[in-house]
Amino acid sequence: MKTSVYRKEHFNAAHRLYNKSWDDEKNERVFGKCSNPNFHGHNYELIVKLTGDVHPETGYVYDMKKLSDLIRDKVTNRFDHKNLNLDTEEFRDLNPTAENIARVIYDLLRGEIDGGLDLKITLYETERNYVEYPA
Amino acid sequence: MKTSVYRKEHFNAAHRLYNKSWDDEKNERVFGKCSNPNFHGHNYELIVKLTGDVHPETGYVYDMKKLSDLIRDKVTNRFDHKNLNLDTEEFRDLNPTAENIARVIYDLLRGEIDGGLDLKITLYETERNYVEYPA
Amino acid sequence: MKTSVYRKEHFNAAHRLYNKSWDDEKNERVFGKCSNPNFHGHNYELIVKLTGDVHPETGYVYDMKKLSDLIRDKVTNRFDHKNLNLDTEEFRDLNPTAENIARVIYDLLRGEIDGGLDLKITLYETERNYVEYPA
Amino acid sequence: MKTSVYRKEHFNAAHRLYNKSWDDEKNERVFGKCSNPNFHGHNYELIVKLTGDVHPETGYVYDMKKLSDLIRDKVTNRFDHKNLNLDTEEFRDLNPTAENIARVIYDLLRGEIDGGLDLKITLYETERNYVEYPA
Amino acid sequence: MKTSVYRKEHFNAAHRLYNKSWDDEKNERVFGKCSNPNFHGHNYELIVKLTGDVHPETGYVYDMKKLSDLIRDKVTNRFDHKNLNLDTEEFRDLNPTAENIARVIYDLLRGEIDGGLDLKITLYETERNYVEYPA
Amino acid sequence: MKTSVYRKEHFNAAHRLYNKSWDDEKNERVFGKCSNPNFHGHNYELIVKLTGDVHPETGYVYDMKKLSDLIRDKVTNRFDHKNLNLDTEEFRDLNPTAENIARVIYDLLRGEIDGGLDLKITLYETERNYVEYPA
């Protein structure tokens, strides 16, 4: 049977929900106050889950120190204290919903981690709204 | 791959664990202080999880504002500040254990949400006791 | 300079906000759904704070094991899984608001603890509503 | 002895730390990544504390429903999903540090609440950084 | 469809990450400060999850009081306020990583619980590092 | 009126409650399982509070980045992943109760921070046991 390990990190960012192919009126109708043209923001809590075998020599699925460093280098340094819409190439043309941010983080990390380990991303936008990818 | 979204809500209610087909002595033997005839109560934390595809136009699996409104209309308005045994038809003849409350909430919401989305209910009775339906 | 020590405990109870000298209509007008005649309930989180000098031999202001036992004997055994209005003498004639429950708990503990130690009670009725006595 | 009551609310906002009398280089030197010209954001957790006497008829220091409505009308409707620097008059010329936001919220509420009650604001910018005004 | 129930407990312990077949230099290179020869420690939060059918007479998957007692008898009495490396036979020759502790707890409980119920262990070593077994 | 700012940090350590002038039997009688000769451990959560005036140019009482660095340099680097009794000079002859650890941390930081700012330490040994110095 396999074991999962989880590492929790965080970043703070501004964003605006916005579909470029719609006019402002439709963006506001669909996204409400989340589409404020001047942006709002969140403390994002990010949980990275890896699932695999426990290595018999270390007793680790993955070294949590290395995972923490990897998340910092590939994810939180990129998004922390940024405006997701304006400051990042990932969301220049992609609506920064929690669902899309989680998938982007998955794609940023997937290539960095041994393919024998399953990867799952959980992202809290607020304490009461969060997402998981893949389900 | 699919994505899951979660919305957390809460309600406060009184209840008594009670099987109508047993006498009081057996109810107390099985359920202990949870079967106090004068009731006790909890702050219930409710998490509703939906799993499906991200809609390409909105970047949403489901609009969290609509989900929050739906939970309020169908669930928390019905149970908040109520005595589950006395004030609700759902638990007139059904023992209001966390397991049963979670299934009742599932049934109240299932018909309101597109069948293409998987639905899962997590219900915290206390910080240390909680249930999930379906598993 | 003095040091404060804190111990957190919890209990679950049913209650109804109710002023006996008012009719039901006025109780409902003032207390709203909190005055449901069939009761509702909460997971109460209780924090007991003692302030005094650190004893040079033990390094303790107070033994937390003894404080935990004292809270259980004097407070949580009395209120846990009870209906505050019906099952306790303290709230037979006193409205069980969080403010009044905190003062009752203070009075139950004050006589049990050396008068040289200041005592303060914090009571969470929900994560978002809580009280402190004395201020 | 007096009693304190607390109500916790939240809002999400974007901001940029910025002193208008300094050039961008000095702003960045002093405020670091918190001065990103494109803004970043937070989930602000706000706790409003009132201290006074328990009213003998209600058992309340203050009706928490009224306090919650007051905070919504005067504070969270004003700041939620806003860019504090661009969308609010309060921070057009005032640097939106947590310290300054807490004082502004104090000033917005102080006139709305009976002067016989002491008022204190706690504002969490993140789980690890928060402020209190007045101390 | 089946239902899951969860019970959360905790224990405090000292440990040192250490592979007996390596010398100290290699242990420190691999495990860093977690291999301090004089030990460090954690507040472990343990969540036990059982999945099965809701019994129609009780409305329970499992009696949480019995589960809590079982966890205390088989797990927390064994590990609480202990040095995992020195005081327990389970970790005399097994490196007490969170992954290995979770599997040991699984093995301690599996034989005590009806085989018709699935068992899963979640163990928090810190708020930001945790594991799950089986995945 | 003054403003308080708070910064939360954490460290993990092993310790044993022990009074050197007592024999083992008395240590165990007074401190119970907290006096296990092989040590146990905790995730300590540390909150540093500073109270003073808001600087009109920065809008800060204190730069949280500098406070975080100061706590790391003076406190958490010293205690994190250490055995307080064996690895630190501060607790070689001082019983490492939460009360004493809080005072030691106060003394480590007091000289590093402008005397015009009040300093207060809160230290969580567990979620349910914590202390504050000075009171």
Side-chain angles (χ1 to χ4, degrees):
Chain A
M1 291 191 296
K2 291 185 183 295
T3 299
S4 297
V5 296
Y6 299 77
R7 176 68 193 173
K8 190 179 177 186
E9 301 284 348
H10 59 99
F11 61 96
N12 310 313
H15 78 154
R16 174 198 187 184
L17 298 192
Y18 185 65
N19 179 331
K20 285 195 165 183
S21 64
W22 297 345
D23 60 18
D24 276 6
E25 190 276 329
K26 182 162 183 190
N27 270 289
E28 191 179 337
R29 184 156 38 84
V30 173
F31 296 121
K33 61 188 179 180
C34 298
S35 197
N36 174 9
N38 285 329
F39 312 100
H40 65 286
H42 295 291
N43 303 334
Y44 289 95
E45 293 284 344
L46 166 65
I47 300 171
V48 175
K49 175 189 184 181
L50 300 179
T51 300
D53 292 315
V54 176
H55 192 285
E57 281 202 307
T58 58
Y60 280 170
V61 170
Y62 202 92
D63 183 326
M64 285 293 98
K65 176 69 171 60
K66 283 185 190 157
L67 183 57
S68 177
D69 290 348
L70 181 66
I71 299 170
R72 188 194 59 227
D73 291 349
K74 297 295 169 187
V75 180
T76 59
N77 278 355
R78 191 181 297 253
F79 296 143
D80 189 35
H81 284 75
K82 295 290 171 58
N83 183 310
L84 297 179
N85 305 66
L86 299 182
D87 293 331
T88 76
E89 58 181 301
E90 288 81 5
F91 300 103
R92 195 146 298 149
D93 298 303
L94 179 67
N95 192 2
T97 59
E99 289 91 329
N100 282 337
I101 302 171
R103 186 168 57 75
V104 162
I105 293 173
Y106 178 90
D107 292 341
L108 288 169
L109 291 174
R110 183 62 278 185
E112 309 289 331
I113 291 166
D114 169 11
L117 295 169
D118 282 337
L119 169 65
K120 187 172 289 199
I121 303 299
T122 302
L123 185 73
Y124 283 74
E125 193 173 83
T126 71
E127 254 192 322
R128 299 197 169 270
N129 286 342
Y130 56 105
V131 304
E132 194 178 55
Y133 178 83
Chain B
M1 292 191 295
K2 291 186 183 295
T3 299
S4 297
V5 296
Y6 300 76
R7 175 69 194 172
K8 190 177 176 188
E9 301 284 347
H10 59 99
F11 60 94
N12 310 312
H15 77 153
R16 173 198 187 184
L17 298 191
Y18 185 65
N19 179 330
K20 286 195 165 182
S21 64
W22 297 344
D23 60 17
D24 276 7
E25 191 276 329
K26 182 163 183 189
N27 270 289
E28 191 179 336
R29 184 158 38 82
V30 173
F31 296 121
K33 61 187 179 181
C34 298
S35 197
N36 174 9
N38 285 329
F39 312 101
H40 65 286
H42 296 291
N43 303 334
Y44 290 96
E45 292 284 343
L46 166 65
I47 299 171
V48 175
K49 175 188 184 181
L50 299 180
T51 300
D53 293 314
V54 176
H55 192 284
E57 282 202 308
T58 58
Y60 281 169
V61 169
Y62 202 90
D63 183 328
M64 286 294 98
K65 176 70 170 61
K66 283 186 191 154
L67 183 57
S68 176
D69 289 347
L70 182 66
I71 298 169
R72 188 193 60 227
D73 291 350
K74 296 296 169 187
V75 181
T76 58
N77 277 355
R78 191 181 298 251
F79 296 143
D80 188 36
H81 284 75
K82 295 291 171 57
N83 182 311
L84 297 178
N85 304 67
L86 300 182
D87 293 331
T88 76
E89 58 181 301
E90 287 81 4
F91 299 103
R92 196 147 297 150
D93 297 303
L94 179 68
N95 193 0
T97 60
E99 289 92 328
N100 283 338
I101 302 171
R103 186 168 57 75
V104 162
I105 292 173
Y106 178 90
D107 291 340
L108 288 168
L109 291 174
R110 183 61 279 186
E112 308 289 332
I113 291 166
D114 170 11
L117 295 168
D118 281 336
L119 169 65
K120 186 172 291 200
I121 302 299
T122 302
L123 184 73
Y124 282 75
E125 194 172 84
T126 72
E127 253 191 324
R128 299 195 171 271
N129 287 342
Y130 55 104
V131 304
E132 193 177 57
Y133 179 83
Chain C
M1 292 190 297
K2 291 186 184 295
T3 299
S4 297
V5 296
Y6 299 78
R7 175 70 193 171
K8 190 177 176 187
E9 300 283 350
H10 59 100
F11 60 95
N12 309 313
H15 78 154
R16 175 198 185 182
L17 299 191
Y18 184 66
N19 180 330
K20 285 194 166 184
S21 65
W22 296 344
D23 60 16
D24 276 7
E25 189 277 328
K26 182 163 184 189
N27 271 290
E28 191 180 335
R29 184 156 39 82
V30 173
F31 297 121
K33 60 188 180 179
C34 298
S35 197
N36 174 10
N38 284 328
F39 312 101
H40 65 286
H42 296 291
N43 303 333
Y44 290 95
E45 292 284 343
L46 166 64
I47 300 171
V48 175
K49 176 188 184 182
L50 300 180
T51 300
D53 292 316
V54 175
H55 192 284
E57 282 202 306
T58 58
Y60 281 170
V61 170
Y62 202 90
D63 183 327
M64 285 295 98
K65 176 68 171 62
K66 283 185 191 155
L67 183 57
S68 176
D69 289 348
L70 182 66
I71 298 169
R72 189 194 57 226
D73 290 350
K74 296 296 169 186
V75 180
T76 58
N77 277 356
R78 190 181 298 254
F79 296 145
D80 189 34
H81 283 76
K82 295 290 172 58
N83 183 310
L84 297 178
N85 304 66
L86 300 183
D87 293 331
T88 77
E89 59 180 299
E90 288 81 4
F91 299 104
R92 195 146 300 150
D93 298 303
L94 180 68
N95 193 0
T97 60
E99 290 91 330
N100 282 338
I101 301 171
R103 186 167 57 73
V104 163
I105 292 172
Y106 178 90
D107 291 341
L108 287 168
L109 291 174
R110 182 62 280 186
E112 308 290 331
I113 291 166
D114 168 12
L117 295 168
D118 282 336
L119 170 65
K120 186 171 292 201
I121 303 298
T122 302
L123 185 73
Y124 282 74
E125 193 172 83
T126 71
E127 253 192 323
R128 300 197 169 269
N129 286 343
Y130 55 104
V131 304
E132 193 178 56
Y133 179 82
Chain D
M1 291 192 296
K2 291 186 184 296
T3 299
S4 297
V5 296
Y6 299 78
R7 176 68 195 173
K8 190 177 177 188
E9 300 283 349
H10 59 99
F11 60 95
N12 309 314
H15 78 152
R16 174 197 186 183
L17 298 192
Y18 185 65
N19 179 330
K20 285 196 166 181
S21 64
W22 298 343
D23 59 18
D24 276 7
E25 189 278 328
K26 182 163 183 190
N27 271 290
E28 190 179 337
R29 183 158 37 83
V30 174
F31 297 121
K33 60 187 179 181
C34 299
S35 198
N36 174 9
N38 285 329
F39 311 100
H40 65 286
H42 295 291
N43 304 333
Y44 290 96
E45 292 284 343
L46 166 65
I47 300 171
V48 175
K49 176 188 184 182
L50 299 179
T51 300
D53 293 315
V54 175
H55 193 284
E57 281 202 308
T58 58
Y60 281 169
V61 170
Y62 202 91
D63 184 327
M64 286 294 98
K65 177 67 172 64
K66 283 185 191 155
L67 182 56
S68 176
D69 290 348
L70 182 67
I71 299 169
R72 188 193 59 225
D73 291 350
K74 297 295 169 188
V75 181
T76 58
N77 277 355
R78 190 181 298 252
F79 296 144
D80 188 35
H81 284 76
K82 295 290 171 59
N83 183 309
L84 297 178
N85 304 66
L86 300 182
D87 293 330
T88 76
E89 60 181 299
E90 288 81 4
F91 300 103
R92 195 147 298 153
D93 298 302
L94 180 67
N95 192 1
T97 60
E99 290 92 330
N100 282 338
I101 302 172
R103 187 169 55 75
V104 163
I105 292 173
Y106 178 90
D107 291 341
L108 287 168
L109 290 174
R110 183 61 279 186
E112 308 289 332
I113 291 166
D114 169 11
L117 295 168
D118 282 336
L119 170 65
K120 185 171 291 201
I121 302 299
T122 302
L123 185 72
Y124 282 74
E125 194 173 82
T126 71
E127 252 192 325
R128 299 197 168 270
N129 287 342
Y130 55 104
V131 304
E132 193 178 56
Y133 178 82
Chain E
M1 291 192 297
K2 290 185 183 295
T3 298
S4 297
V5 296
Y6 299 77
R7 176 68 194 172
K8 190 177 176 187
E9 300 284 348
H10 59 98
F11 60 95
N12 309 313
H15 78 153
R16 172 197 188 185
L17 298 192
Y18 185 66
N19 179 330
K20 286 194 164 181
S21 64
W22 298 343
D23 60 17
D24 276 6
E25 190 276 328
K26 181 163 183 189
N27 270 289
E28 190 180 336
R29 182 157 39 81
V30 173
F31 297 122
K33 60 188 179 180
C34 298
S35 197
N36 175 11
N38 284 328
F39 311 101
H40 65 286
H42 296 290
N43 304 333
Y44 290 95
E45 292 285 343
L46 166 64
I47 300 171
V48 175
K49 175 187 183 182
L50 300 179
T51 300
D53 293 315
V54 175
H55 192 285
E57 281 202 308
T58 58
Y60 280 170
V61 169
Y62 202 91
D63 183 328
M64 286 293 98
K65 177 69 171 60
K66 283 184 191 155
L67 182 57
S68 176
D69 290 349
L70 182 66
I71 299 169
R72 188 193 60 227
D73 292 349
K74 297 295 169 187
V75 181
T76 59
N77 278 356
R78 192 181 296 252
F79 297 143
D80 189 36
H81 283 75
K82 295 291 171 57
N83 183 310
L84 297 179
N85 305 66
L86 300 182
D87 294 330
T88 76
E89 59 179 300
E90 287 81 4
F91 299 103
R92 196 147 298 151
D93 298 304
L94 179 68
N95 193 1
T97 59
E99 290 91 329
N100 282 338
I101 302 172
R103 185 167 57 76
V104 162
I105 293 173
Y106 178 90
D107 291 341
L108 287 168
L109 291 174
R110 181 64 278 186
E112 308 289 331
I113 291 166
D114 169 12
L117 295 169
D118 282 336
L119 169 66
K120 185 171 290 199
I121 303 299
T122 301
L123 184 74
Y124 282 75
E125 194 173 82
T126 71
E127 253 192 323
R128 299 195 170 271
N129 287 343
Y130 55 105
V131 305
E132 193 178 55
Y133 178 82
Chain F
M1 291 191 296
K2 291 187 184 296
T3 299
S4 298
V5 296
Y6 299 78
R7 176 68 194 171
K8 189 177 178 187
E9 300 284 349
H10 59 100
F11 60 96
N12 309 313
H15 77 153
R16 174 197 186 183
L17 298 191
Y18 185 66
N19 179 329
K20 286 194 163 182
S21 64
W22 296 345
D23 60 18
D24 276 6
E25 189 276 328
K26 182 163 182 189
N27 271 289
E28 190 179 337
R29 184 157 36 83
V30 173
F31 296 123
K33 61 187 180 181
C34 299
S35 198
N36 175 9
N38 285 328
F39 313 100
H40 65 286
H42 296 290
N43 304 333
Y44 289 96
E45 293 284 342
L46 165 65
I47 299 171
V48 175
K49 175 189 184 181
L50 300 179
T51 300
D53 292 315
V54 175
H55 193 285
E57 281 201 308
T58 58
Y60 280 169
V61 170
Y62 202 91
D63 183 326
M64 286 294 99
K65 176 69 172 62
K66 282 184 192 156
L67 183 56
S68 176
D69 290 348
L70 182 67
I71 298 169
R72 188 193 59 224
D73 291 349
K74 297 295 169 187
V75 181
T76 58
N77 278 355
R78 192 181 297 252
F79 296 144
D80 189 35
H81 284 76
K82 296 290 172 58
N83 183 309
L84 298 178
N85 304 66
L86 300 182
D87 294 329
T88 77
E89 59 181 298
E90 288 81 5
F91 299 103
R92 195 147 298 151
D93 297 304
L94 180 66
N95 193 0
T97 60
E99 289 91 330
N100 282 339
I101 302 171
R103 186 169 57 74
V104 162
I105 292 173
Y106 178 90
D107 291 341
L108 288 169
L109 291 174
R110 181 63 279 186
E112 308 290 331
I113 291 166
D114 168 12
L117 295 168
D118 282 335
L119 170 65
K120 186 171 292 202
I121 302 300
T122 302
L123 184 72
Y124 282 75
E125 194 172 82
T126 70
E127 253 191 322
R128 300 196 169 269
N129 286 342
Y130 55 105
V131 304
E132 194 178 55
Y133 177 83

